[in-house]
Amino acid sequence: MKLLKVSIAAAAAVALSLSASACGDGGGEGGTDGGKKVTVGIKFDQPGIGLKTPDGKYTGLDVDVATYVAEQLGYKPGDIEWKEAKSADRETLLQRGDVDFIAASYSITPERQQKVDFAGPYFLAHQDILVRADDNSITKPADLNNKKLCSVTGSTSAQNVKTELAPQAQLQEYGGYSECLTGLENKVIDALTTDDAILAGYAAQPEFKGKFKLGGFKLSNENYGVGIKKGSELKAKINTALEKMEADGTWDKAVKANFGEANFQNEPAPKIGNIVS
């Protein structure tokens, strides 16, 4: 009887050991997927950058960048859980651990670097404005004075204009760029400001073709980075993935696929770690 009890106990110990080993394999920050998921924050309402389509698919440059990075970290596309990362929520999402990383037209700034870390940059955009195609009253930044200028809560774009270029601009902050666009179309808003890549993506949409135009102002440099939690070991791994993406030609293909229809003249791929001020 004692022998039987010992045998049963030994078998149970072996089974528990095997179970623990299986649970410890793979996964983890930046490891192979091992059946685990990776949660990535993106924009859901920015055509050409990050867009959730009515059929539940995700498209845009940030989606392509995030998918490539995730694959280099060991995750398959089906292992990615996409989470909406609105401008005002991005730091909070990272700090709380709600996402593993964020690729959401996320400009690297000194203020944000105090709260989170960034890999990259992987894209250099410039702030511009979008106006109605028949509006010829705004030909220079100063013309935005006393105009209703829209951007989203938490974005740096509108504040840049109001602080540096047009202090009398009437700043309107909405929850998303699509809301600003609706206001612009309905003449509630005079101009929408954000990065030229985002504006080009909107202007190129079939339902908006011919309705809007870009001002052609290069108001700032916006260095898009991949946001990660402060002190995360993912930074070095994501930088390596971004360098590979540019070297193997995937970056160029992604940019052309997402902005080609808008005839957008983008900047070359930036050097990792080089923040253009």
Side-chain angles (χ1 to χ4, degrees):
M1 184 63 71
K2 289 183 178 179
L3 181 60
L4 178 59
K5 287 182 178 179
V6 172
S7 298
I8 292 174
V14 171
L16 181 61
S17 175
L18 290 173
S19 175
S21 297
C23 291
D25 287 340
E29 194 176 73
T32 56
D33 69 41
K36 293 191 176 184
K37 300 289 185 179
V38 60
T39 305
V40 181
I42 58 169
K43 292 294 180 65
F44 277 14
D45 65 344
Q46 292 181 353
I49 298 291
L51 180 69
K52 183 179 181 180
T53 62
D55 59 359
K57 294 180 180 179
Y58 301 91
T59 65
L61 176 64
D62 286 346
V63 175
D64 292 340
V65 168
T67 300
Y68 188 96
V69 166
E71 288 180 325
Q72 294 301 307
L73 295 177
Y75 297 95
K76 299 175 183 177
D79 296 328
I80 301 173
E81 293 182 345
W82 301 105
K83 188 175 183 68
E84 185 174 19
K86 292 184 177 180
S87 293
D89 300 334
R90 291 175 296 200
E91 285 85 36
T92 301
L93 289 171
L94 289 168
Q95 291 170 337
R96 288 193 315 213
D98 293 339
V99 294
D100 294 294
F101 63 87
I102 289 178
S105 55
Y106 203 0
S107 298
I108 303 172
T109 67
E111 294 76 19
R112 290 170 179 165
Q113 287 177 308
Q114 293 178 9
K115 301 176 182 178
V116 300
D117 283 340
F118 287 94
Y122 62 88
F123 192 84
L124 177 60
H126 303 286
Q127 185 184 344
D128 202 352
I129 66 165
L130 192 71
V131 297
R132 289 180 293 277
D134 60 356
D135 185 355
N136 297 314
S137 66
I138 304 174
T139 60
K140 59 185 181 298
D143 292 335
L144 291 168
N145 281 309
N146 300 315
K147 297 285 189 179
K148 293 179 181 178
L149 176 67
C150 188
S151 195
V152 304
T153 304
S155 171
T156 59
S157 300
Q159 290 294 344
N160 287 343
V161 172
K162 190 168 177 59
T163 303
E164 303 292 337
L165 303 166
Q168 269 69 57
Q170 300 174 32
L171 179 59
Q172 309 285 320
E173 291 186 300
Y174 289 1
Y177 291 112
S178 56
E179 297 171 45
C180 286
L181 200 69
T182 299
L184 183 61
E185 186 176 21
N186 296 332
K187 299 186 177 181
V188 177
I189 297 299
D190 297 310
L192 160 59
T193 185
T194 187
D195 305 344
D196 49 12
I198 298 171
L199 297 176
Y202 278 121
Q205 295 302 292
E207 65 268 33
F208 296 132
K209 262 191 174 176
K211 291 185 178 182
F212 306 112
K213 62 183 178 182
L214 274 76
F217 310 151
K218 290 189 176 183
L219 302 178
S220 69
N221 295 315
E222 304 297 332
N223 301 269
Y224 289 178
V226 177
I228 47 182
K229 193 172 184 177
K230 199 75 174 173
S232 172
E233 294 179 358
L234 279 179
K235 180 175 180 177
K237 297 175 182 179
I238 293 176
N239 277 335
T240 298
L242 294 174
E243 288 173 343
K244 183 177 179 181
M245 186 178 186
E246 192 276 327
D248 67 15
T250 305
W251 186 90
D252 281 322
K253 291 178 182 178
V255 170
K256 290 177 182 177
N258 289 293
F259 300 128
E261 293 299 320
N263 196 31
F264 175 57
Q265 301 300 314
N266 63 278
E267 300 278 5
K271 183 179 179 181
I272 299 301
N274 183 28
I275 312 299
V276 180
S277 60

